[in-house]
Every structure is written in C-alpha cells, then in structure tokens.
Amino acid sequence: MNLEQLTYLVEVAKSGSFTKAAQNCHITVTGISRSISYLEQELGIRIFSRSRAGAVVTPEGHMIISKARAILNQIHELKSEAESYSEINDSKIRIATIPGPISLLIHVLIGLRKEFPGIQLEISEHGTDAVLENVRTDESDIGFVLLNEGNLPKNAGLLFERLVKGNIVLGVSALSPLASLRAVSLDALADLPFVLYNDPYIIDFIKDLGDSVDVLFTSNNIEAILQAVKEDMAVTLGPDYSFRANTMYENGDVITIPLEMPSQKISYLWSVSSKENQTSKAAGLFVNRVVSMLRQLE
C-alpha cells in the first residue's frame, strides 16, 4: 500500500469513473485500474464494483475510502505545516510599538525565537504617530498602539485589530496606605508624587489631570520606575498589562489599583498592519501569540 494508491482510490470514488480518475491523475486507465486491483488483492476485499456505467464503491469499500481520505488529509496538513515552518523560520519580523507593552512583546519574541531559531526579529519603540507611520511606509510589518476607539485614524491605509482593553491602573508600593484601596478616583491623583514611563500616552494622560500633578521623574527604564514605587517614593501609571510581566508585580512588591475612569477615556491596545502590504505568516503568528499571552494574564 502506498500514498499513490490511496490518491487513486479517492479520485475514483469522487469521479465515479476510472476513465475520469485517470485523466485527473494524469495516468492511463490501465495503470490506475491495475494499481487499485493490487490494493484490493493486498487487503482481501473489493473496493469498487466495475461496470460499463462506471465504478461504484462497495459497502466494505466505503470504510477504506474514508480512511484513505483521512490519511491524505493528514499528509496535506503535514506538508502545509512543514512549508509554514520553513517560511516562518526563514522570515524577518519588524515590530514597532509604543513603550507600554514592550516587556510582553519581548517575552513573546524570545519564545518565538526558541521555536524558530532561524527567524530574524527586530523591535523598536516609538510614539503612537511614529508607530503608525512606520507601518504605513512599510518600515515595520506590525505595530502596537494604545488608542481610544474614537481616535483611530481614518482612511490611513491601515488595518487595526483590537487586542485588549488598555485599563490604566495606578501602581503603588505594597507598603503604601493606598494598597488596600479597591479603586482610585482621578481627582485623588492630583495629590500624589509620580514616576512615569516616558510614554506619550501616559504623559498626555497626566497633562489632562492638570498642572498640579507632581512628577518626580520620567524614564524609559521600567525597573528604575518600579523600584521607586516599591520603596514607596512615588506612584506610577500604566496599562495593566505593562505591569504583569515584571517580577516586582509578580512578587507582590508593587500593587495595581483600578482607576475610576469616564467611558470616553477608555482605550485599547491595537495591532496595526498595512492594507497594501499583506501580513506575513510570521507576523500573523506573532500577533496570535501576543493575544494568547494577554488572555492568560487577564
């Protein structure tokens, strides 16, 4: 028994004719008939009843045909997976992102590199406008931005996929009196000292609270920021997913508290791709892995 014989079986059953099956398989009628006869002899059963009207599957032959289809489908899936692996393993993913989700994205990148050692990965941090421009001009394959649904650019040649709600939370020390609170109002933030990640979205968010907000420093070093929070020097703000991949959060040294937000301020993390440039399998796989990780963290 071989795959060629199984292919002939399925084709004859589909067309109901040895002649048509031979044409579709680019083989002589004699060749396809002989091949199936050998298989019938090997199995000890008749698979087809032959007549001038065509080929009819016998009752016992239906089971054989069903098994043959399943085997051929598995072979097709195996070939597709092998081709996809080669395509992904030989590809390059260029990612542009706002700073907030960077730790999560790097975690996904590391996992992807272990699975596909030949893949090339490139990630860069930008403000929202620069991320969108990078994707629009094909400098990046995929982008990640935090935006209010009403602020999505229109007719910009971009495709947006909503990934997760970007719940802005307050990060405080486990030693802080605030740690026991279930929620904090925006008005209460004005009296707190802040250390902030240098993310344009967060900076703009703070500006909306007024000039009285006390910002001790801004930094691109998340460890320095959370260390200051851990020691109760200040508090910080960020999307909830930006805390979850950090050990100070996992160890309970830094606590996150939900903010009481008006609905118009609710934003989402989006993946962004170009309408003109088809997303590669590798880039699509990366986004799927990011989504899976975000769901695990919910």
Side-chain angles (χ1 to χ4, degrees), residues 30 44-45 57 65 70 73 101 150 170 182 206 225 247 251 253:
T30 301
I45 62 172
V57 181
I65 298 297
N73 285 337
L170 184 69
R182 292 188 177 181
I206 284 290
I225 291 171
T247 54
N251 294 337
D253 298 319

Side-chain angles (χ1 to χ4, degrees), residues 86-95 109 112-113 116 118-123 138-142 278-284 286:
S86 297
E87 181 179 338
I88 293 172
N89 196 50
D90 296 334
S91 64
K92 179 178 182 179
I93 310 176
R94 302 166 300 164
I95 301 160
L109 287 173
L112 206 61
R113 185 60 181 270
F116 301 95
I119 198 170
Q120 297 182 54
L121 305 168
E122 178 183 292
I123 188 166
D138 197 33
E139 292 180 44
S140 298
D141 303 305
I142 203 81
Q278 185 175 4
T279 303
S280 67
K281 287 185 178 180
F286 179 80

Side-chain angles (χ1 to χ4, degrees), residues 30 36-37 41 64 80 82 100 110 112 126 145 170 262 264 295:
T30 301
I36 291 177
S37 294
Q41 292 174 20
I64 300 298
S80 296
I110 292 172
L112 206 61
H126 304 280
V145 294
L170 184 69
Q264 67 269 23
R295 287 176 178 170

